[in-house]
């Protein structure tokens, strides 16, 4: 590799460390080279597993997210506290869509103890299982291809099924949250979450502070589509500014 290209590759990585997601045109302007050159550089960095290509740009590759069984073991107190402040917001809801994830399972546990006579639509077996503790809750399980690492179903069949239903609320987790919006490590999950958001009156993201300023591979929404963020620490910097600009209500758990 030429010295000039090596310097350019380092500059791209430095830019992505500061701005979690950038488009080809932005990198071209910042580095003062053509878009074609940037595209070739991004392809090479992608082949080296340093970045992930996105439509029209790139994100810095994050460490692989642990499987759900491992995530359940971490941040338990924080997730339980987040669920405690998130669930009261759902009061009065008749139909709720809930996505997969460790934090949303904690929310489902709270719903099972605090709410009655509600219908929950989910693609997560963990969510469905904890809701079964309350016989007054009707659980509708979406069909689809089973992903053992997530304990949930995904795919075109799941999306089609959810697109025909409506809900008062969508409650979702996130692998990462940046100023541009929440994202997930699994592209197939992002498709499901987009559908849940579109078909719900209100949407809440439930995620702890370790997801702040992290860009996962699949962004599934802009903050303009989100009504609430239930978390454990007040965001700061550009993320907090984006939440304020889009009027996302941040609900904090008790520390």
């Amino acid at each position: 590799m030429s010295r000039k290209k090596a310097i350019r590759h380092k500059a791209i990585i430095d830019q992505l460390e500061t701005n979690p997601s950038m488009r080809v045109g932005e990198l071209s302007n910042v580095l003062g080279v053509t878009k074609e050159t940037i595209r070739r550089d991004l392809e090479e960095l992608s082949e080296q597993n340093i970045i992930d290509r996105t439509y029209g740009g790139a994100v810095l590759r994050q460490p692989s997210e642990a499987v759900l069984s491992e995530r359940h073991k971490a941040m338990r107190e924080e997730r339980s506290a987040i669920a405690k402040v998130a669930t009261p917001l759902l009061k009065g809801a008749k139909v709720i869509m809930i996505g997969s994830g460790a934090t949303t399972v904690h929310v489902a546990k709270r719903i099972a103890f605090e709410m009655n006579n509600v219908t929950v639509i989910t693609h997560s077996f963990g969510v469905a299982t904890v809701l079964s503790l309350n016989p007054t809750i009707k659980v509708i399980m979406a069909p689809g291809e089973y992903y053992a690492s997530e304990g949930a179903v995904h795919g075109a069949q799941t999306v089609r099924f959810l697109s025909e239903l409506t809900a008062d609320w969508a409650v979702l987790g996130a692998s990462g949250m940046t100023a541009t919006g929440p994202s997930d490590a699994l592209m197939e999950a992002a498709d499901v979450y987009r559908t849940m958001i579109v078909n719900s009156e209100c949407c809440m993201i439930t995620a702890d502070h370790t997801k702040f300023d992290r860009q996962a591979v699949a962004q599934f929404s802009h903050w303009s589509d989100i009504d609430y963020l239930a978390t454990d620490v007040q965001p700061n910097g550009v993320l907090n500014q984006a939440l304020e600009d889009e009027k996302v209500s941040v609900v904090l758990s008790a520390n």
Side-chain angles (χ1 to χ4, degrees):
M1 182 189 300
S2 70
R3 184 172 180 275
K4 185 181 293 186
K5 181 186 288 188
I7 292 172
R8 200 167 58 243
H9 282 192
K10 183 180 185 304
I12 291 173
I13 294 168
D14 289 343
Q15 286 295 319
L16 290 173
E17 286 178 342
T18 305
N19 306 284
S21 176
M22 293 190 73
R23 299 185 67 80
V24 169
E26 293 173 316
L27 289 166
S28 173
N29 290 334
V30 171
L31 273 63
V33 295
T34 66
K35 292 180 180 179
E36 289 72 21
T37 298
I38 292 296
R39 289 191 184 96
R40 287 195 296 270
D41 288 340
L42 294 181
E43 287 299 329
E44 292 179 14
L45 289 169
S46 178
E47 290 172 1
Q48 297 171 38
N49 294 321
I50 296 173
I51 67 164
D52 285 311
R53 290 300 309 272
T54 62
Y55 182 76
V59 297
L60 196 63
R61 176 161 290 192
Q62 300 288 343
S64 298
E65 190 170 50
V67 297
L68 187 62
S69 60
E70 290 299 317
R71 301 205 303 274
H72 272 300
K73 299 175 185 177
M75 308 289 288
R76 285 184 176 179
E77 291 184 6
E78 290 84 353
R79 289 183 171 124
S80 178
I82 290 169
K84 188 174 182 179
V85 296
T87 305
L89 297 173
L90 307 174
K91 184 179 180 181
K94 296 299 182 183
V95 182
I96 304 169
M97 290 186 178
I98 302 182
S100 62
T103 306
T104 52
V105 169
H106 280 277
V107 175
K109 287 180 182 178
R110 278 278 170 182
I111 290 173
F113 284 113
E114 297 182 14
M115 300 181 71
N116 291 306
N117 303 310
V118 63
T119 296
V120 175
I121 304 163
T122 188
H123 65 134
S124 164
F125 284 87
V127 167
T129 299
V130 297
L131 289 171
S132 68
L133 297 171
N134 185 333
T136 75
I137 295 177
K138 180 179 181 180
V139 179
I140 299 175
M141 191 74 201
E145 180 181 355
Y146 181 61
Y147 283 63
S149 63
E150 290 298 304
V153 295
H154 301 286
Q157 190 177 16
T158 312
V159 171
R160 279 198 304 271
F161 179 83
L162 293 171
S163 66
E164 296 177 354
L165 303 174
T166 59
D168 301 304
W169 279 90
V171 180
L172 308 171
S175 302
M177 294 181 286
T178 66
T180 59
S183 55
D184 197 88
L186 187 65
M187 294 180 68
E188 292 82 358
D191 291 335
V192 172
Y193 299 163
R194 289 187 196 103
T195 307
M196 287 184 168
I197 292 170
V198 168
N199 289 282
S200 298
E201 287 294 321
C202 296
C203 181
M204 172 165 45
I205 301 295
T206 58
D208 64 78
H209 70 278
T210 63
K211 310 301 172 61
F212 293 174
D213 302 311
R214 281 189 61 182
Q215 176 74 52
V217 67
Q219 182 172 319
F220 57 83
S221 176
H222 296 290
W223 289 118
S224 57
D225 299 319
I226 308 301
D227 299 286
Y228 289 88
L229 168 62
T231 188
D232 58 331
V233 175
Q234 179 67 43
N236 55 34
V238 292
L239 174 57
N240 187 59
Q241 188 61 55
L243 295 170
E244 290 183 357
D245 290 345
E246 298 299 344
K247 297 179 173 55
V248 178
S249 298
V250 179
V251 182
L252 297 176
S253 59
N255 294 318

